[in-house]
Amino acid sequence: MSTVSVVIPCYKYGHFLADCVKSVLDEQEGVDVRVLIIDDASPDDSAAVARDLAAGDPRIEVRVHETNRGHIATYNEGLLEWADGDYVALLSADDRLVPGALVRSAALLDAHPEAGFAYGRPLRFQHGGPLPAARTLATGSVVYPGRWWLERRFREGTGCITSPEVVVRTSLQRKVGGYDPQLPHAGDIEMWMRLAAHADVGYVRGADQAFYRVHGGNMSTTDFGGQLDDLRQRLVAFDSVLDKCAGLLPEADRLSVAARTRLARYALRRAYRAYDRGRTAVVPVDDLVEFAAQCLPGGYASLPEYRALVRRRRIGARAMPYLQPLVLSAVADRGREWLWWQSWKRRGI
């Protein structure tokens, strides 16, 4: 039977801990699981809740920080210092696993020693709302060549993983190291890419693997300045992977251009979509254009998204929301988003 070490970092999420731990220990029959809860000096009763849970189950260990060390240091403590199972998973205290998720991932990794980590589809749910119905019967799995999967991330300029749905081979996690403290907001995507530079990537088909809680203040959906910060962090993450894995990636220059081109296009698309939606007063359009220029000095102005932005500037911020249905690029945007969503649902990439 495979062994899985599950690290649950916690900061002020004690009220979620019982459900989170239950999803790990009571709903994952077929694997030998141990749990480490690390409370990062929460000012509430999180540490007490964690200790109560541990008192009732010998599979649970608790560590409590006297001072707050931050999420990156907390992650790395569990992943690199404590985890000793065949596989390791990092699960935020406010998220949950789908029943059988660890069994499905472990089976994939057992069958494919060339795969360094396995993931599947996560289900998002709103904080305060009910859990969505989850699929628990896998229809198979696929193992993507790591370099191919990694190159796809560079070409798309984004990740396809949230985090709780991932199970990593512990030996590989130790080999590549922990999360980068210089990437507090893009450490996840950088980690998955580093792992993929060293090993292949497994995907569980058909079944959902985790529940990911979306809080009301989610930066990516409500904070336009935060969206720009996200793009900046992604750029640093791609550069970091190329630096750390240079010996494994002979086509680093091509990958860098691919990522920078995609990120510039994302920035310019957000800029011109601000005109479509009448949000130029709140979206940092000029800063987005400046970021695109940083990604592709001398080349961003030739991108179709920049030309779309120029057209909208000529039309004007007041008139553009009314003319949006007649603008071809706005229609194409909706089509691209739909196609990406369908691909992600089927293949996880």
Side-chain angles (χ1 to χ4, degrees):
M1 181 181 294
S2 299
T3 56
V4 184
S5 302
V6 179
V7 180
I8 303 179
C10 180
Y11 182 69
K12 299 195 296 186
Y13 278 166
H15 49 297
F16 296 130
L17 266 176
D19 287 336
C20 177
V21 172
K22 178 182 178 182
S23 78
V24 175
L25 295 179
D26 296 348
E27 300 174 356
Q28 307 298 327
E29 294 183 7
V31 289
D32 181 6
V33 184
R34 288 198 312 122
V35 169
L36 172 65
I37 302 172
I38 309 179
D39 180 72
D40 194 22
S42 297
D44 60 7
D45 64 346
S46 292
V49 172
R51 289 181 173 125
D52 285 344
L53 291 170
D57 195 317
R59 296 173 294 176
I60 303 173
E61 182 178 336
V62 176
R63 295 184 183 183
V64 178
H65 293 166
E66 293 186 2
T67 59
N68 185 272
R69 302 181 189 176
H71 64 288
I72 297 295
T74 303
Y75 294 173
N76 290 340
E77 177 183 349
L79 295 174
L80 303 180
E81 299 177 19
W82 174 81
D84 61 1
D86 299 317
Y87 312 119
V88 61
L90 181 68
L91 182 65
S92 176
D94 61 330
D95 295 332
R96 304 186 199 179
L97 295 179
V98 168
L102 296 181
V103 181
R104 291 185 288 271
S105 291
L108 188 158
L109 294 169
D110 285 345
H112 297 280
E114 73 277 13
F117 69 93
Y119 71 105
R121 183 182 173 190
L123 290 175
R124 294 172 177 259
F125 70 103
Q126 289 292 329
H127 174 62
L131 290 178
R135 304 169 301 167
T136 58
L137 182 63
T139 58
S141 62
V142 60
V143 175
Y144 298 113
R147 304 289 176 80
W148 178 88
W149 190 92
L150 174 64
E151 180 166 342
R152 189 176 179 96
R153 304 281 68 75
F154 274 82
R155 285 192 287 109
E156 293 190 354
T158 188
C160 57
I161 295 173
T162 54
S163 183
E165 68 271 30
V166 179
V167 176
V168 181
R169 197 175 296 277
T170 305
S171 58
L172 179 62
Q173 184 71 73
R174 290 175 177 167
K175 179 180 179 179
V176 304
Y179 283 78
D180 191 335
Q182 302 301 315
L183 296 168
H185 303 298
D188 286 337
I189 182 176
E190 198 257 4
M191 174 62 75
W192 313 139
M193 290 192 293
R194 267 194 286 144
L195 292 169
H198 289 82
D200 292 342
V201 179
Y203 181 72
V204 177
R205 285 176 165 166
D208 302 308
Q209 290 292 88
F211 296 105
Y212 177 77
R213 188 184 303 269
V214 179
H215 295 270
N218 189 281
M219 181 182 70
S220 63
T221 59
T222 62
D223 180 0
F224 297 108
Q227 293 180 8
L228 178 56
D229 289 339
D230 173 65
L231 289 173
R232 289 169 174 159
Q233 283 282 310
R234 279 195 244 167
L235 177 60
V236 175
F238 284 109
D239 287 345
S240 176
V241 171
L242 293 176
D243 179 57
K244 294 172 184 173
C245 303
L248 300 171
L249 303 173
E251 298 183 325
D253 290 343
R254 180 177 62 81
L255 292 175
S256 178
V257 171
R260 287 172 172 270
T261 300
R262 177 58 68 181
L263 291 174
R265 296 183 68 177
Y266 277 136
L268 294 171
R269 187 175 301 156
R270 289 178 180 177
Y272 77 64
R273 290 294 284 167
Y275 282 82
D276 294 348
R277 297 167 179 170
R279 294 177 176 174
T280 54
V282 293
V283 175
V285 172
D286 291 340
D287 290 340
L288 287 165
V289 175
E290 182 180 344
F291 173 78
Q294 176 191 348
C295 290
L296 290 177
Y300 74 98
S302 64
L303 295 173
E305 288 80 4
Y306 184 76
R307 295 194 294 271
L309 175 61
V310 170
R311 286 194 295 271
R312 284 159 173 77
R313 281 175 165 167
R314 289 172 180 167
I315 293 172
R318 290 187 177 181
M320 189 59 218
Y322 302 100
L323 297 177
Q324 177 194 353
L326 304 178
V327 177
L328 182 60
S329 55
V331 176
D333 272 347
R334 292 193 291 272
R336 279 192 296 265
E337 291 169 1
W338 184 85
L339 288 172
W340 184 90
W341 177 250
Q342 295 301 313
S343 175
W344 180 78
K345 286 199 296 185
R346 290 195 310 271
R347 301 191 294 161
I349 51 175

